[in-house]
Amino acid sequence: MAEIIAANMTANTYDFFPASSLYPAGWLLCQLRTEAEGLAGHLDLIWPDVRDSKWIGGDREGWERVPYWLDGFIPLAYLLRDGGMIARAQRYVRAILDGQAEDGWICPCPPEGRAGYDMWALLLISKVLVLYASCEPSEAARVETALVRAFRQAAEHLEAHPLFDWGKYRWFEGLIAVNWLYQRTGGEWLLDFADLLHAQGRDYVSLIDREFSAYEQPERKWQWDTHVVNLAMALKAEGLWQKRLGTPASDCGAFPLHMLETLMQHHGMPCGHFTGDECLAGRSPIQGTELCGVVEAMYSYEVLLALTGNPLFGDLLERAALNALPAATSPDQWTHQYDQQINQAACAPETEASVFGTNGCEANVFGLEPNYGCCTANMPQGWPKLAMTVFLRRPGGILAALPLPARVETELDGIPVSVACSGGYPFRDTVTYIVSAGQPVQFALDVRIPGTAASAELDGQPVKPGTIVTLNRIWSGTKTLTLTMSFDVTLDPAGYGDLMVVNRGPLLFAVPIEAVEIVKEYTRDGVERRAPYCDRLLYPAGHFGWLFAAGADAAEVLHPSPVPDDTPVFSPEQTPLAISMPLVPVDWGKKEGFAFCAADLPASREPLGKARRVTMIPYGATMLRMTAMPMC
């Protein structure tokens, strides 16, 4: 076992507010409501693996799917203050707590099956219960008691049956609950349990620094070390471990950034994530990335932003959340893809083979559970946890971490204080903060300035993008602060040969492809796919081959509609921001041997006509799209 250099865990730079303090607004609130009205808000009503799970006494899956779903459904219910949803979440959590065995074992597994039960489910449900306790403080004591019993039992179990498979590769997820319990109880045995998890878990420092050369090129085989979700989760592994060792918080993000740089160098995508369909898939505009990987990378950035206070993790979070997350779901959030592609000319199963390295040919179909059901259960955490990161707290202060529409209400020195953010970012360039205090009170308002801005002013003063600005004042009454940013349109290398992409601030832009949709309803393995949660096959009905005819200086920024509060902003039918670019049509062609998949590179660069202005919209608003294209 590794030598421990410090007895106590490092304190986070910032911590998360409970959902009761947060009030999402504007387009962000609309995204949450759409999620609640879509698949995530109905899985316990329609999907057997959640509705009839062993976790609540049923006979269906009793491992990761209910915990995955609760990890998003719980904060969604409490952020929306929806009494019916809260009651449904409570039903599941209370059933799980009621089902805990006398010896502390909490997972739905009989004693004779424990030796072969993958302990990933325990690590996952432990952080879910901590999240629930923050949303429902009246049940925190019960959660604490249950987790103490569960972890004491697990410590004995793991001595005889060490972590294997998913638990081995996701050991660090248990540190979320270990830290929570340690802060509440101070039990030194929890540090020993953390050390046990670390000793039995995968060493990601070794993987990245000593072994990764073997994985720089993609292989069409399934491997634990290259699994995209394992790696997305593990972005925070060493940060959490360094926290255990007592490393200064500001230094806990060094290896995570190095790990991400390594992954992006060889497998990066312009949408802010790395390929993995199911395992690392290299650099290609038609290789995919898994939705589970996107939401887990987002959570890693959220944890690391709070832990380290490094504003770069906010930029990484925005890039993934505002591009890769919405691109993987239909605008109504009733269907999702397992894998998204940068150049996605169709979303329909091939008949002969799959373009994806380790996923099936239906992985890019929008549906209930294309390819595997893990993303169906796991995707709900994306938007709620993003909303819970808009504002963070520290002793004597508040961080406006993300300039997204929301409000926080809290107390500082016993005085009610609120901070509200509005303005339509990232679709608009001006953000307004309204700070209100019931009585004069001194506190620090930290404001993160997005690093993707070309320039910025806060409260009339120039500020540096990519930093956190602290306004330590005596606040009284209501004060309005304006954050004004400028963003350049840039034409940047996509990472695929000479292909380029268009960026503006945190947003990636793509040419939407007109689609013909075929709705497919059917039953497979006892699971019904019925509208609106059935398969939606998309075939191109318009031209999809283009070259850029001019550089970024030819771009024209368009604001075709106001930023809506009542309809999804990530929709090809209605987008509040667009960019007009001169493009030349070409015959791009299909990948050899495939009926629907676009080729990696255009089959011909011979123009089919004159350059014309084409409207590009945010990548996350597209379903079929061409994003990465060469210059004419």
mmCIF file of all heavy atoms in Angstrom, residues 545-565:
data_model
loop_
_atom_site.group_PDB
_atom_site.id
_atom_site.type_symbol
_atom_site.label_atom_id
_atom_site.label_comp_id
_atom_site.label_asym_id
_atom_site.label_seq_id
_atom_site.Cartn_x
_atom_site.Cartn_y
_atom_site.Cartn_z
ATOM 1 N N GLY A 545 -21.864 17.976 -48.905
ATOM 2 C CA GLY A 545 -20.443 18.120 -49.199
ATOM 3 C C GLY A 545 -20.054 19.562 -49.439
ATOM 4 O O GLY A 545 -20.566 20.206 -50.366
ATOM 5 N N TRP A 546 -19.132 20.108 -48.603
ATOM 6 C CA TRP A 546 -18.755 21.517 -48.715
ATOM 7 C C TRP A 546 -17.269 21.698 -48.451
ATOM 8 O O TRP A 546 -16.651 20.904 -47.742
ATOM 9 C CB TRP A 546 -19.536 22.382 -47.713
ATOM 10 C CG TRP A 546 -21.017 22.285 -47.828
ATOM 11 C CD1 TRP A 546 -21.855 21.471 -47.107
ATOM 12 C CD2 TRP A 546 -21.861 23.027 -48.706
ATOM 13 N NE1 TRP A 546 -23.153 21.657 -47.481
ATOM 14 C CE2 TRP A 546 -23.193 22.620 -48.473
ATOM 15 C CE3 TRP A 546 -21.630 24.005 -49.681
ATOM 16 C CZ2 TRP A 546 -24.271 23.134 -49.161
ATOM 17 C CZ3 TRP A 546 -22.711 24.519 -50.376
ATOM 18 C CH2 TRP A 546 -24.016 24.096 -50.112
ATOM 19 N N LEU A 547 -16.741 22.766 -49.019
ATOM 20 C CA LEU A 547 -15.408 23.260 -48.686
ATOM 21 C C LEU A 547 -15.538 24.713 -48.258
ATOM 22 O O LEU A 547 -16.411 25.435 -48.751
ATOM 23 C CB LEU A 547 -14.458 23.182 -49.892
ATOM 24 C CG LEU A 547 -14.325 21.855 -50.648
ATOM 25 C CD1 LEU A 547 -13.331 22.029 -51.801
ATOM 26 C CD2 LEU A 547 -13.869 20.739 -49.726
ATOM 27 N N PHE A 548 -14.689 25.141 -47.337
ATOM 28 C CA PHE A 548 -14.652 26.553 -46.979
ATOM 29 C C PHE A 548 -14.060 27.348 -48.140
ATOM 30 O O PHE A 548 -13.002 27.012 -48.657
ATOM 31 C CB PHE A 548 -13.803 26.776 -45.728
ATOM 32 C CG PHE A 548 -14.433 26.253 -44.466
ATOM 33 C CD1 PHE A 548 -13.908 25.145 -43.817
ATOM 34 C CD2 PHE A 548 -15.553 26.873 -43.930
ATOM 35 C CE1 PHE A 548 -14.473 24.670 -42.650
ATOM 36 C CE2 PHE A 548 -16.140 26.397 -42.767
ATOM 37 C CZ PHE A 548 -15.606 25.283 -42.125
ATOM 38 N N ALA A 549 -14.755 28.406 -48.538
ATOM 39 C CA ALA A 549 -14.296 29.210 -49.667
ATOM 40 C C ALA A 549 -13.480 30.406 -49.230
ATOM 41 O O ALA A 549 -12.866 31.080 -50.066
ATOM 42 C CB ALA A 549 -15.491 29.692 -50.495
ATOM 43 N N ALA A 550 -13.483 30.727 -47.949
ATOM 44 C CA ALA A 550 -12.739 31.879 -47.438
ATOM 45 C C ALA A 550 -12.478 31.658 -45.967
ATOM 46 O O ALA A 550 -13.038 30.758 -45.322
ATOM 47 C CB ALA A 550 -13.519 33.175 -47.660
ATOM 48 N N GLY A 551 -11.610 32.498 -45.396
ATOM 49 C CA GLY A 551 -11.237 32.363 -44.007
ATOM 50 C C GLY A 551 -12.254 32.966 -43.057
ATOM 51 O O GLY A 551 -13.338 33.408 -43.448
ATOM 52 N N ALA A 552 -11.871 33.026 -41.781
ATOM 53 C CA ALA A 552 -12.781 33.482 -40.745
ATOM 54 C C ALA A 552 -13.185 34.943 -40.922
ATOM 55 O O ALA A 552 -14.254 35.344 -40.458
ATOM 56 C CB ALA A 552 -12.135 33.284 -39.372
ATOM 57 N N ASP A 553 -12.350 35.723 -41.597
ATOM 58 C CA ASP A 553 -12.689 37.138 -41.772
ATOM 59 C C ASP A 553 -13.908 37.324 -42.674
ATOM 60 O O ASP A 553 -14.499 38.410 -42.720
ATOM 61 C CB ASP A 553 -11.501 37.925 -42.323
ATOM 62 C CG ASP A 553 -10.957 37.355 -43.631
ATOM 63 O OD1 ASP A 553 -11.360 36.242 -44.013
ATOM 64 O OD2 ASP A 553 -10.119 38.030 -44.253
ATOM 65 N N ALA A 554 -14.315 36.274 -43.382
ATOM 66 C CA ALA A 554 -15.504 36.350 -44.244
ATOM 67 C C ALA A 554 -16.775 35.957 -43.501
ATOM 68 O O ALA A 554 -17.870 36.017 -44.069
ATOM 69 C CB ALA A 554 -15.321 35.455 -45.460
ATOM 70 N N ALA A 555 -16.643 35.579 -42.235
ATOM 71 C CA ALA A 555 -17.799 35.127 -41.471
ATOM 72 C C ALA A 555 -18.693 36.308 -41.101
ATOM 73 O O ALA A 555 -18.229 37.415 -40.840
ATOM 74 C CB ALA A 555 -17.353 34.410 -40.208
ATOM 75 N N GLU A 556 -19.984 36.050 -41.068
ATOM 76 C CA GLU A 556 -20.957 37.039 -40.618
ATOM 77 C C GLU A 556 -21.771 36.421 -39.488
ATOM 78 O O GLU A 556 -22.366 35.350 -39.652
ATOM 79 C CB GLU A 556 -21.885 37.441 -41.765
ATOM 80 C CG GLU A 556 -22.937 38.470 -41.371
ATOM 81 C CD GLU A 556 -23.882 38.809 -42.504
ATOM 82 O OE1 GLU A 556 -23.637 38.338 -43.646
ATOM 83 O OE2 GLU A 556 -24.876 39.526 -42.240
ATOM 84 N N VAL A 557 -21.773 37.072 -38.330
ATOM 85 C CA VAL A 557 -22.500 36.573 -37.172
ATOM 86 C C VAL A 557 -23.958 36.999 -37.280
ATOM 87 O O VAL A 557 -24.263 38.176 -37.488
ATOM 88 C CB VAL A 557 -21.883 37.090 -35.859
ATOM 89 C CG1 VAL A 557 -22.678 36.577 -34.652
ATOM 90 C CG2 VAL A 557 -20.429 36.641 -35.752
ATOM 91 N N LEU A 558 -24.850 36.022 -37.132
ATOM 92 C CA LEU A 558 -26.281 36.260 -37.262
ATOM 93 C C LEU A 558 -26.973 35.977 -35.933
ATOM 94 O O LEU A 558 -26.602 35.064 -35.208
ATOM 95 C CB LEU A 558 -26.883 35.353 -38.340
ATOM 96 C CG LEU A 558 -26.205 35.348 -39.717
ATOM 97 C CD1 LEU A 558 -26.832 34.281 -40.592
ATOM 98 C CD2 LEU A 558 -26.300 36.713 -40.372
ATOM 99 N N HIS A 559 -27.966 36.775 -35.625
ATOM 100 C CA HIS A 559 -28.806 36.543 -34.451
ATOM 101 C C HIS A 559 -30.239 36.373 -34.950
ATOM 102 O O HIS A 559 -31.043 37.305 -34.905
ATOM 103 C CB HIS A 559 -28.716 37.708 -33.469
ATOM 104 C CG HIS A 559 -27.345 37.913 -32.908
ATOM 105 N ND1 HIS A 559 -26.407 38.728 -33.512
ATOM 106 C CD2 HIS A 559 -26.749 37.396 -31.818
ATOM 107 C CE1 HIS A 559 -25.290 38.711 -32.798
ATOM 108 N NE2 HIS A 559 -25.474 37.913 -31.758
ATOM 109 N N PRO A 560 -30.575 35.188 -35.462
ATOM 110 C CA PRO A 560 -31.863 35.011 -36.137
ATOM 111 C C PRO A 560 -33.069 35.098 -35.231
ATOM 112 O O PRO A 560 -34.176 35.304 -35.705
ATOM 113 C CB PRO A 560 -31.745 33.605 -36.751
ATOM 114 C CG PRO A 560 -30.722 32.914 -35.914
ATOM 115 C CD PRO A 560 -29.758 33.976 -35.490
ATOM 116 N N SER A 561 -32.908 34.927 -33.912
ATOM 117 C CA SER A 561 -34.061 34.995 -33.022
ATOM 118 C C SER A 561 -33.583 35.333 -31.619
ATOM 119 O O SER A 561 -32.415 35.142 -31.287
ATOM 120 C CB SER A 561 -34.816 33.655 -33.005
ATOM 121 O OG SER A 561 -34.001 32.642 -32.449
ATOM 122 N N PRO A 562 -34.462 35.849 -30.764
ATOM 123 C CA PRO A 562 -34.082 36.069 -29.366
ATOM 124 C C PRO A 562 -33.734 34.744 -28.693
ATOM 125 O O PRO A 562 -34.104 33.675 -29.179
ATOM 126 C CB PRO A 562 -35.343 36.697 -28.748
ATOM 127 C CG PRO A 562 -36.153 37.178 -29.906
ATOM 128 C CD PRO A 562 -35.840 36.271 -31.047
ATOM 129 N N VAL A 563 -33.038 34.847 -27.578
ATOM 130 C CA VAL A 563 -32.741 33.640 -26.809
ATOM 131 C C VAL A 563 -34.010 33.249 -26.065
ATOM 132 O O VAL A 563 -34.457 33.964 -25.167
ATOM 133 C CB VAL A 563 -31.593 33.882 -25.817
ATOM 134 C CG1 VAL A 563 -31.287 32.595 -25.044
ATOM 135 C CG2 VAL A 563 -30.343 34.366 -26.540
ATOM 136 N N PRO A 564 -34.640 32.132 -26.429
ATOM 137 C CA PRO A 564 -35.955 31.806 -25.862
ATOM 138 C C PRO A 564 -35.842 31.215 -24.460
ATOM 139 O O PRO A 564 -34.839 30.591 -24.108
ATOM 140 C CB PRO A 564 -36.513 30.781 -26.842
ATOM 141 C CG PRO A 564 -35.297 30.097 -27.382
ATOM 142 C CD PRO A 564 -34.219 31.144 -27.439
ATOM 143 N N ASP A 565 -36.887 31.406 -23.676
ATOM 144 C CA ASP A 565 -36.982 30.812 -22.352
ATOM 145 C C ASP A 565 -37.909 29.610 -22.317
ATOM 146 O O ASP A 565 -37.922 28.851 -21.343
ATOM 147 C CB ASP A 565 -37.503 31.836 -21.331
ATOM 148 C CG ASP A 565 -36.510 32.957 -21.067
ATOM 149 O OD1 ASP A 565 -35.320 32.786 -21.395
ATOM 150 O OD2 ASP A 565 -36.931 34.002 -20.535
#
